[in-house]
C-alpha cells in the first residue's frame, strides 16, 4: 500500500484528498462536508496556513504528494517529479500566471520541509495542450512592442486549462471504444472549456493564453471583441477592466446576480439569457471542432458541473444531429434516427480521483526514486 | 440640409459611391433608379506594405484602364480618382455616398452629412479605427472638391440588426453594455446582404427560406455571416471590425487578457496597442513581409517559405473554425457563399476551408473550383447537400440603391437639425 495525498489549490482554499493506493476509494467530494478522507484548508494566507498544511500532511505520513498546477507553459509537458531545481523554472513562469503560480511555489517550499519527505508530483493542466497545432496555438500578432519589454514567447500562445479532465475523459472513452477518434470534450467548470481531440491529440481548445478566452464562465467573460477591451480600457484603465472581465462578467453578468453554471441550468427560465448565450457559444465551439477534425464520433462531458451536462447534451446533440449525418465514418449516407445519434459520454470522476488514478497507472513508487 | 432642399430627389440621379477598404478605395457612379453603371474603378494597395505597387483600375464604357502609381494615402487616392473622372466627359454626380463601417452610438442609420457633422463623425473613429478615419478624410476632401453636392454615409451594420440577443450580446456587466452600447454590430453587411440575395436568386430559393454561410474574404478585411431566412443571425466581426478572422493587418480574435498585457507593456500607451492590433497584426504581423494573403500564398507555394506557410495555415484555420461554427449554428444550410477579392479569386482558400466538411454535407468539386466561368458559379459536386457558390460582390451597387432611398426620402437628417440620435429614425429607415 502506498499513501498518496492529492492537493488541489483552488482560489483561497486548497482541498486535500487521502488515498491508500492501489485502492481508489470514495474521497471527500462525496463525503462533503465531513471530509472523511481529506479536507479543505486556507491556502492563500502565508505563515500560519502553510504551517497548518505542513502539519496536516505530516499527520498522514504520505509516500507521495500530487499537486495540481494550473499552468506549466511549454516547459512542463508531462507530470513532473518535483525537486528544488525546478523552482527557478517555475518562478520564470510567474509573469504569465501571476495569480496561480506564486502560492503553488510557496506550497512546494513548504512541502520541501515535510518530514519524512514524500515524493512530490506536479500535474499541470496545460501539459495536455503543449503540442497543440501551431495554427491553433498562435495569435495573429507579431508579439513585439517596440520600445517595450519583450514578452516571453509563451505569453502569446494558447493553452488549455482543464487538460487533466479532458485527457482522463478521452482515455476513458477510447479504452472502451478504440474506434472513437474524433471527440469533442466539454469540461463544465466555473471557467468551462471545450476541446477537440482527434486520435488522442488535442487540435483545438476554447481557452487561450489564459482561461479568460473561450466559453463564458460563472464570472469570466470568455470570448469578446478585442476592440471592446481597448474601448473599456481607455475609460477605466487596465486594472479595472481586468476586474470587470475576470470577476464581474460571464453568466453572472447575464443573470444580473451571482450564479454558477449549475444554477443557470437548474433554472433556465429565470436565467434564460445566460442559458441561451452559453448554449449558443458551446454550439459554435462544437461546430469549429467538427470542422477542424473533419467529423465527430463522440461528445464527452466532465468537470465539477457535470450535473448540468444532461440538459446541455440533449440540446446540443439535437442541434448537431440536424445535419443528418452521424460523423465521419459514414459521410455519404443519411442514416436512420438511431444511427444518427451522436454518442454522449459523461466522465464523472472528480479531479482528485483522476490524479490518483494517473498516479496508480504510473506506479508512483517507481517514479523519481 | 435635407435632400429635398438640395434638389437631388429628381427622376434620375447620378450617385457617386466611395467604398474605402482597409487598403483600397472603390468608386462607382450609377444612374438611379435604372442602376446603369456610368463609371467605376478601384485604387488597390493604398499605403500598404505589399510586394506590388499601388494601382488604379478604372472602368468606363466597357473600357478598362490601369494606372500604376505609388499612392500613400486616401487623400492622394481621391485626388487621382477625381483627376481621372474629371479628365473624361462624365456627367457630374448628384449625390455622393460613402460606405461607413461603424456609426458608433452617434449614427445609427444612413445619414446625410454636412460640415457640421464632421466633428460628430470624428467621435466615431474609435469604433472602426482602420476604416472610419480615411472615410472622414474622404468626406472632407469631397466637400472641398464638390461643395454643392450633398453627401451621405451608408452604414455597414444595418443588415446585422437581426442578430438575436444570445448571439449579439457580450457577457459583460449590463451597466456597461447599456451605457456604451457594447454589443455585436457586425460588419460587411452591405456585401453579405448583396451576395445572399444574388445567391438565393441564382439557386432559385425564396429569400425568406434561404439559409447560408456567407464568406466575405477581402484583401483587407474579412468576415463570415450566418444567414437564416435571408437574415443575418451572426457575424464574425463584433463591436468593432477587430474581432473574428485573421485579416490583412488586424489580429482578429485574441485572448482579452493579451490586450491588457500589451497595454501594460506599452507603458499605458493605448494608441500604440490600438495601432498594433489594427494595423500591424494579422497577416502582416504573422508573416513580417506582406499584409496581402496572395503574397503569402505565393511565398508559401512557390518559395517554400516556412513563415509564410505558418501564416497561411493560421489564416485558413481561423476561416475554417468560423465556417464550422456557423454551419452548426445555422443547421439546415442551403449554401456556402464566397465573395470579395480573396473569396472570388483564390481557389486554394475555398478548397482548403471546405475540405473534410462531409459531416455538414459539404463537398467541393476541385476542378470546378479552379475553373470558374462567370459569376455566380457553383463549385460544389453534384449531389452535395450544401451548395458552394462563388458570388461577385457589388457593394457599390448596394450602396447606390440605399443612397437613392436616402436621397429620395428627403428626410435624411443632418446633425445640425437634430439634437438627439443622428440619422433617420429606425422606423423610417426600415421602409
Amino acid at each position: 500500500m502506498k499513501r498518496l495525498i492529492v492537493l488541489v489549490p483552488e482560489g483561497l482554499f486548497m482541498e486535500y484528498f487521502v488515498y491508500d493506493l492501489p485502492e481508489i476509494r470514495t474521497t471527500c467530494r462525496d463525503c462533503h462536508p465531513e471530509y472523511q478522507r481529506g479536507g479543505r484548508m486556507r491556502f492563500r494566507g502565508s505563515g500560519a496556513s502553510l504551517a497548518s498544511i505542513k502539519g496536516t500532511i505530516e499527520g498522514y505520513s504520505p509516500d507521495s504528494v500530487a499537486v495540481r498546477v494550473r499552468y506549466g507553459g511549454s516547459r512542463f509537458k508531462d507530470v513532473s517529479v518535483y525537486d528544488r531545481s525546478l523552482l527557478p523554472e517555475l518562478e520564470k513562469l510567474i509573469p504569465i500566471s501571476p495569480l496561480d503560480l506564486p502560492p503553488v511555489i510557496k506550497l512546494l517550499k513548504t512541502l520541501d520541509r515535510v518530514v519524512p519527505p514524500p515524493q512530490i508530483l506536479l500535474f499541470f493542466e496545460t501539459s495536455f495542450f503543449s503540442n497543440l497545432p501551431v495554427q491553433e496555438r498562435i495569435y495573429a500578432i507579431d508579439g513585439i512592442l517596440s520600445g517595450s519589454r519583450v514578452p516571453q514567447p509563451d505569453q502569446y500562445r494558447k493553452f488549455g486549462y482543464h487538460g487533466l479532465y479532458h485527457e482522463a475523459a478521452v482515455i476513458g472513452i477510447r479504452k472502451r471504444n478504440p474506434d472513437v477518434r474524433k471527440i469533442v470534450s466539454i469540461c463544465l467548470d466555473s471557467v468551462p472549456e471545450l476541446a477537440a481531440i482527434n486520435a488522442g491529440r488535442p487540435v483545438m481548445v476554447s481557452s487561450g493564453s489564459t482561461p479568460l478566452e473561450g466559453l463564458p464562465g460563472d464570472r469570466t467573460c470568455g470570448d469578446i471583441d478585442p476592440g471592446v477591451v481597448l474601448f473599456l480600457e481607455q475609460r477605466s484603465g487596465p486594472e479595472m477592466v481586468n476586474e470587470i472581465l475576470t470577476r464581474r462578467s460571464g453568466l453572472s453578468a447575464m443573470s444580473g446576480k451571482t450564479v454558477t453554471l449549475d444554477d443557470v441550468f437548474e433554472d433556465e427560465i429565470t436565467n434564460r439569457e445566460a442559458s441561451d448565450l452559453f448554449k449558443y457559444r458551446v454550439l459554435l465551439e462544437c461546430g469549429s471542432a467538427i470542422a477542424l477534425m473533419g467529423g465527430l464520433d463522440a461528445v464527452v462531458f466532465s468537470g465539477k458541473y457535470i450535473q448540468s451536462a444532461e440538459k446541455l447534451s440533449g440540446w446540443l446533440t439535437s442541434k448537431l444531429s440536424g445535419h443528418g449525418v452521424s460523423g465521419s465514418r459514414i459521410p455519404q449516407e443519411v442514416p436512420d434516427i438511431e444511427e444518427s445519434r451522436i454518442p454522449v459520454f459523461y466522465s464523472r470522476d472528480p479531479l482528485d480521483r483522476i490524479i490518483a488514478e494517473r498516479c496508480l497507472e504510473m506506479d508512483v513508487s517507481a517514479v523519481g526514486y | 440640409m435635407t435632400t429635398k432642399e438640395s434638389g437631388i430627389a429628381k427622376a434620375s440621379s447620378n450617385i457617386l459611391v466611395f467604398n474605402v477598404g482597409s487598403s483600397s478605395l472603390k468608386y462607382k457612379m450609377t444612374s438611379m433608379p435604372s442602376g446603369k453603371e456610368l463609371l467605376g474603378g478601384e485604387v488597390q494597395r493604398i499605403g500598404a506594405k505589399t510586394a506590388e505597387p499601388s494601382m488604379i483600375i478604372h472602368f468606363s464604357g466597357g473600357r478598362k484602364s490601369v494606372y500604376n502609381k505609388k499612392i500613400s494615402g486616401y487623400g492622394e487616392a481621391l485626388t487621382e480618382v477625381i483627376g481621372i473622372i474629371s479628365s473624361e466627359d462624365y456627367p457630374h454626380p448628384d449625390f455622393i455616398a460613402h460606405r461607413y463601417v461603424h456609426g458608433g452610438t452617434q449614427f445609427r442609420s444612413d445619414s446625410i452629412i454636412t460640415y457640421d457633422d464632421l466633428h460628430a463623425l470624428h467621435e466615431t473613429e474609435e469604433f472602426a479605427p482602420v476604416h472610419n478615419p480615411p472615410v472622414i478624410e474622404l468626406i472632407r476632401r469631397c466637400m472641398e472638391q464638390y461643395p454643392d453636392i450633398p453627401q451621405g454615409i451608408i452604414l455597414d451594420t444595418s443588415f446585422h440588426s437581426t442578430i438575436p440577443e444570445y448571439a449579439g450580446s457580450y457577457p459583460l456587466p449590463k451597466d456597461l453594455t447599456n451605457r456604451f452600447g457594447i454589443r455585436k454590430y457586425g460588419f460587411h453587411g452591405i456585401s453579405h446582404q448583396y451576395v445572399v440575395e444574388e445567391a438565393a436568386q441564382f439557386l432559385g430559393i425564396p429569400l425568406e427560406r434561404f439559409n447560408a454561410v456567407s464568406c466575405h474574404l477581402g484583401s483587407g478585411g474579412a468576415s463570415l455571416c450566418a444567414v437564416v431566412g435571408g437574415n443575418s443571425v451572426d457575424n464574425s466581426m463584433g463591436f468593432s471590425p477587430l474581432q473574428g478572422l485573421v485579416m490583412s493587418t488586424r489580429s482578429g480574435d485574441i485572448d482579452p487578457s493579451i490586450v491588457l498585457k500589451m497595454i501594460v507593456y506599452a507603458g499605458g500607451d493605448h494608441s500604440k496597442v490600438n495601432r498594433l492590433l489594427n494595423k500591424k497584426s494579422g497577416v502582416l504581423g504573422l508573416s513580417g513581409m506582406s499584409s496581402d494573403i496572395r503574397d503569402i500564398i505565393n511565398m508559401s507555394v512557390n518559395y517554400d517559405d516556412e513563415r509564410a506557410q505558418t501564416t497561411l495555415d493560421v489564416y485558413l484555420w481561423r476561416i475554417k473554425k468560423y465556417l464550422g461554427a456557423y454551419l452548426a449554428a445555422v443547421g439546415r444550410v442551403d449554401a456556402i457563399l464566397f465573395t470579395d477579392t480573396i473569396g472570388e479569386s483564390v481557389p486554394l482558400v475555398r478548397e482548403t476551408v471546405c475540405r473534410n466538411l462531409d459531416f455538414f454535407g459539404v463537398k467541393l468539386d476541385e476542378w470546378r473550383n479552379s475553373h470558374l466561368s462567370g459569376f455566380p458559379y457553383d463549385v460544389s459536386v453534384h449531389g452535395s447537400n450544401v451548395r458552394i457558390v462563388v458570388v461577385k460582390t457589388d457593394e457599390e451597387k448596394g450602396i447606390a440603391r440605399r443612397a437613392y432611398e436616402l436621397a429620395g426620402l428627403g428626410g435624411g437628417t443632418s446633425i445640425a437639425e437634430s439634437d438627439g440620435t443622428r440619422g433617420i429614425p429606425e422606423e423610417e429607415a426600415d421602409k
Side-chain angles (χ1 to χ4, degrees), chain A residues 136 140 210 225 230 280 288, chain B residues 126 234 240 255 270 282 317 321:
Chain A
E136 171 66 9
T210 70
D225 186 336
L230 288 169
Y280 181 68
S288 296
Chain B
E126 65 183 337
D234 207 345
S240 77
D255 189 319
H270 175 97
W317 185 264
K321 279 179 97 164

Side-chain angles (χ1 to χ4, degrees), chain B residues 264-385:
Chain B
V264 172
Y265 287 137
D269 189 341
H270 175 97
S271 61
K272 194 180 213 177
V273 177
N274 202 337
R275 201 164 52 250
L276 184 87
L277 291 175
N278 278 290
K279 297 199 171 178
K280 293 186 175 178
S281 295
V283 172
L284 178 63
L286 283 170
S287 71
M289 61 179 91
S290 173
S291 60
D292 193 316
I293 196 65
R294 291 168 293 186
D295 294 339
I296 304 307
I297 292 171
N298 180 42
M299 289 299 291
S300 170
V301 173
N302 297 324
Y303 297 93
D304 205 20
D305 184 281
E306 193 179 336
R307 191 167 173 187
Q309 183 62 52
T310 301
T311 303
L312 180 59
D313 288 345
V314 174
Y315 174 87
L316 295 170
W317 185 264
R318 191 73 64 82
I319 297 173
K320 191 157 190 159
K321 279 179 97 164
Y322 268 100
L323 181 55
Y326 287 172
L327 286 169
V330 170
R332 181 192 61 76
V333 181
D334 296 305
I336 298 169
L337 316 176
F338 286 96
T339 194
D340 209 29
T341 310
I342 306 301
E344 294 162 18
S345 67
V346 186
L348 172 86
V349 171
R350 297 191 296 265
E351 183 187 331
T352 309
V353 302
C354 288
R355 190 179 295 148
N356 294 329
L357 292 183
D358 298 348
F359 181 92
F360 296 107
V362 177
K363 291 284 279 182
L364 179 130
D365 184 318
E366 290 182 19
W367 194 90
R368 289 177 67 80
N369 183 49
S370 53
H371 295 83
L372 297 191
S373 56
F375 298 102
Y377 198 74
D378 187 342
V379 297
S380 53
V381 299
H382 181 70
S384 173
N385 289 341

Side-chain angles (χ1 to χ4, degrees), chain A residues 23-181:
Chain A
E23 189 180 0
I24 299 288
R25 55 184 295 171
T26 305
T27 59
C28 80
R29 193 174 301 272
D30 301 307
C31 307
H32 188 78
E34 289 81 11
Y35 289 104
Q36 291 171 5
R37 295 282 297 167
R40 196 171 193 234
M41 297 178 281
R42 280 205 160 274
F43 179 46
R44 297 246 173 205
S46 54
S49 65
L50 289 168
S52 167
I53 288 171
K54 178 173 177 286
T56 302
I57 290 172
E58 285 179 337
Y60 283 102
S61 296
D63 300 290
S64 301
V65 175
V67 183
R68 191 284 300 268
V69 186
R70 275 202 189 280
Y71 182 77
S74 298
R75 162 64 182 81
F76 295 98
K77 296 186 175 182
D78 207 340
V79 179
S80 297
V81 180
Y82 168 77
D83 65 47
R84 284 176 198 174
S85 69
L86 292 185
L87 279 178
E89 296 190 57
L90 286 166
E91 283 164 350
K92 275 186 205 166
L93 301 177
I94 288 176
I96 307 175
S97 184
L99 295 180
D100 287 308
L101 276 179
V104 167
I105 290 169
K106 276 186 184 175
L107 173 67
L108 293 174
K109 288 177 178 172
T110 302
L111 294 176
D112 254 348
R113 302 197 305 274
V114 167
V115 180
Q119 178 195 41
I120 301 168
L121 299 163
L122 305 181
F123 286 76
F124 296 93
E125 294 280 14
T126 49
S127 296
F128 185 54
F129 296 101
S130 59
N131 291 318
L132 272 177
V134 64
Q135 58 268 42
E136 171 66 9
R137 74 170 182 259
I138 65 174
Y139 295 99
I141 48 180
D142 70 2
I144 296 171
L145 281 165
S146 57
S148 308
R149 184 158 58 94
V150 178
Q152 300 173 36
D154 273 1
Q155 192 99 29
Y156 293 155
R157 64 150 286 181
K158 289 189 87 168
F159 282 102
Y161 285 87
H162 289 297
L164 297 170
Y165 271 121
H166 291 302
E167 189 173 19
V170 169
I171 288 172
I173 292 175
R174 299 195 74 217
K175 266 184 188 168
R176 296 190 297 274
N177 309 275
D179 291 341
V180 172
R181 294 173 63 84

Side-chain angles (χ1 to χ4, degrees), chain B residues 96-418:
Chain B
I96 300 173
H98 302 268
R99 171 188 171 221
Y100 204 72
V101 166
H102 200 320
T105 52
Q106 292 89 341
F107 297 88
R108 294 192 311 193
S109 56
D110 304 346
S111 299
I112 305 288
I113 297 296
T114 69
Y115 270 110
D116 296 332
D117 301 326
L118 288 177
H119 179 72
L121 276 180
H122 278 297
E123 289 177 355
T124 70
E125 284 184 355
E126 65 183 337
F127 287 94
V130 172
H131 278 89
N132 284 1
V135 177
I136 297 166
E137 182 189 349
L138 208 56
I139 291 170
R140 189 185 295 279
R141 292 291 306 276
C142 285
M143 285 173 172
E144 290 165 7
Q145 185 70 32
Y146 303 107
D148 298 326
I149 299 175
Q151 300 186 58
I153 53 171
I154 305 300
L155 299 180
D156 217 357
T157 49
S158 302
F159 183 56
H160 302 299
S161 62
T162 46
I163 292 176
E165 277 300 306
Y166 58 79
S169 301
Y170 294 111
L172 299 170
K174 292 200 171 172
D175 58 327
L176 291 177
T177 55
N178 292 339
R179 191 189 332 160
F180 295 121
I182 297 173
R183 60 162 289 119
K184 176 173 282 204
Y185 288 94
F187 298 91
H188 295 137
I190 295 163
S191 173
H192 286 302
Q193 183 173 9
Y194 180 83
V195 298
V196 163
E197 289 169 0
E198 292 288 302
Q201 188 175 21
F202 172 70
L203 295 170
I205 300 171
L207 187 61
E208 62 274 14
R209 286 191 2 231
F210 186 56
N211 295 353
V213 179
S214 170
C215 309
H216 175 103
L217 306 177
S219 57
S223 75
L224 262 61
C225 180
V227 174
V228 173
N231 295 316
S232 170
V233 293
D234 207 345
N235 183 246
S236 58
M237 287 178 166
F239 175 72
S240 77
L242 193 51
Q243 189 175 1
L245 304 175
V246 173
M247 290 166 260
S248 61
T249 61
R250 291 191 206 115
S251 63
D253 294 335
I254 60 171
D255 189 319
S257 70
I258 289 180
V259 182
L260 294 175
K261 282 176 188 164
M262 284 177 153
I263 291 167
V264 172
Y265 287 137
D269 189 341
H270 175 97
S271 61
K272 194 180 213 177
V273 177
N274 202 337
R275 201 164 52 250
L276 184 87
L277 291 175
N278 278 290
K279 297 199 171 178
K280 293 186 175 178
S281 295
V283 172
L284 178 63
L286 283 170
S287 71
M289 61 179 91
S290 173
S291 60
D292 193 316
I293 196 65
R294 291 168 293 186
D295 294 339
I296 304 307
I297 292 171
N298 180 42
M299 289 299 291
S300 170
V301 173
N302 297 324
Y303 297 93
D304 205 20
D305 184 281
E306 193 179 336
R307 191 167 173 187
Q309 183 62 52
T310 301
T311 303
L312 180 59
D313 288 345
V314 174
Y315 174 87
L316 295 170
W317 185 264
R318 191 73 64 82
I319 297 173
K320 191 157 190 159
K321 279 179 97 164
Y322 268 100
L323 181 55
Y326 287 172
L327 286 169
V330 170
R332 181 192 61 76
V333 181
D334 296 305
I336 298 169
L337 316 176
F338 286 96
T339 194
D340 209 29
T341 310
I342 306 301
E344 294 162 18
S345 67
V346 186
L348 172 86
V349 171
R350 297 191 296 265
E351 183 187 331
T352 309
V353 302
C354 288
R355 190 179 295 148
N356 294 329
L357 292 183
D358 298 348
F359 181 92
F360 296 107
V362 177
K363 291 284 279 182
L364 179 130
D365 184 318
E366 290 182 19
W367 194 90
R368 289 177 67 80
N369 183 49
S370 53
H371 295 83
L372 297 191
S373 56
F375 298 102
Y377 198 74
D378 187 342
V379 297
S380 53
V381 299
H382 181 70
S384 173
N385 289 341
V386 177
R387 316 307 302 174
I388 305 166
V389 185
V390 186
V391 187
K392 192 165 186 59
T393 192
D394 194 340
E395 289 179 306
E396 293 72 34
K397 189 181 274 186
I399 293 168
R401 286 177 190 156
R402 280 167 55 176
Y404 186 71
E405 284 177 22
L406 176 65
L409 280 172
T413 314
S414 86
I415 292 172
E417 299 166 330
S418 166

